[in-house]
Amino acid sequence: MSDIDNIYFRVPERNIAVGVGVGLGAALAGWWAWRRLTTTPPPHTWEEAGEVSELTIYPLKAAKGIPMKEVTATKYGFKSDLLEDRSFMVMSEEGNFITSRQVGVIVTVETEMKGSVLILSAKEFGDVLVDIEKDLKDRPVLEV
């Protein structure tokens, strides 16, 4: 065995840290350049592609919606007067949320608004009337 086989090189830790930093910097710069070159910028001119003729508010989650000509867009969804998108959901007496996957008939429930009254209709069960204006004052609202 020669003397060369027993020679070890020690790299100072500071040089390792600098090398890792330079490597990460180069990788980030490459990623930034790639994103900039492959991302399509928004168009400078717009073309009319169509016209919105109707919007739908779904007051009861998973049930049929109510077509609207005009709505206000909020951070929680569409709103029109007292009617808000997905502001009601079916719950059990114990307070558990019931989905249309559990009870498929929910998707057949028709919704209609007359004044401040939301009418929920299901052929098998009849109508449920919810006076939104009155009920929001008299009952606690659960946020889920």
Side-chain angles (χ1 to χ4, degrees):
M1 193 185 298
S2 71
D3 289 336
I4 296 177
D5 291 336
N6 294 326
I7 297 175
Y8 295 98
F9 294 98
R10 186 167 188 269
V11 178
E13 291 179 13
R14 184 175 55 108
N15 289 349
I16 293 172
V18 168
V20 169
V22 168
L24 283 174
L28 286 173
W31 175 81
W32 175 83
W34 175 79
R35 291 284 294 156
R36 184 158 172 105
L37 293 172
T38 59
T39 303
T40 306
H44 294 289
T45 60
W46 294 92
E47 287 184 32
E48 185 175 326
E51 183 176 303
V52 176
S53 61
E54 184 176 273
L55 299 166
T56 303
I57 291 182
Y58 299 89
L60 177 64
K61 185 168 174 50
K64 294 184 179 180
I66 300 174
M68 308 297 274
K69 291 289 182 190
E70 186 176 310
V71 295
T72 301
T74 72
K75 69 179 185 176
Y76 299 112
F78 291 149
K79 178 180 179 169
S80 178
D81 296 323
L82 297 172
L83 200 55
E84 293 186 35
D85 200 43
R86 293 171 180 84
S87 56
F88 295 96
M89 64 182 178
V90 178
M91 296 181 71
S92 68
E93 290 182 15
E94 296 80 30
N96 298 319
F97 170 52
I98 299 173
T99 69
S100 59
R101 289 185 193 136
Q102 296 164 309
V103 180
V105 74
I106 294 173
V107 299
T108 67
V109 174
E110 305 258 348
T111 57
E112 182 183 359
M113 191 73 175
K114 288 191 178 175
S116 67
V117 177
L118 175 63
I119 304 166
L120 306 172
S121 304
K123 292 179 184 175
E124 301 87 13
F125 303 103
D127 294 351
V128 173
L129 306 177
V130 180
D131 188 332
I132 296 175
E133 204 166 46
K134 178 181 176 288
D135 287 343
L136 288 179
K137 291 179 185 174
D138 297 343
R139 296 185 183 185
V141 174
L142 302 174
E143 290 194 29
V144 293

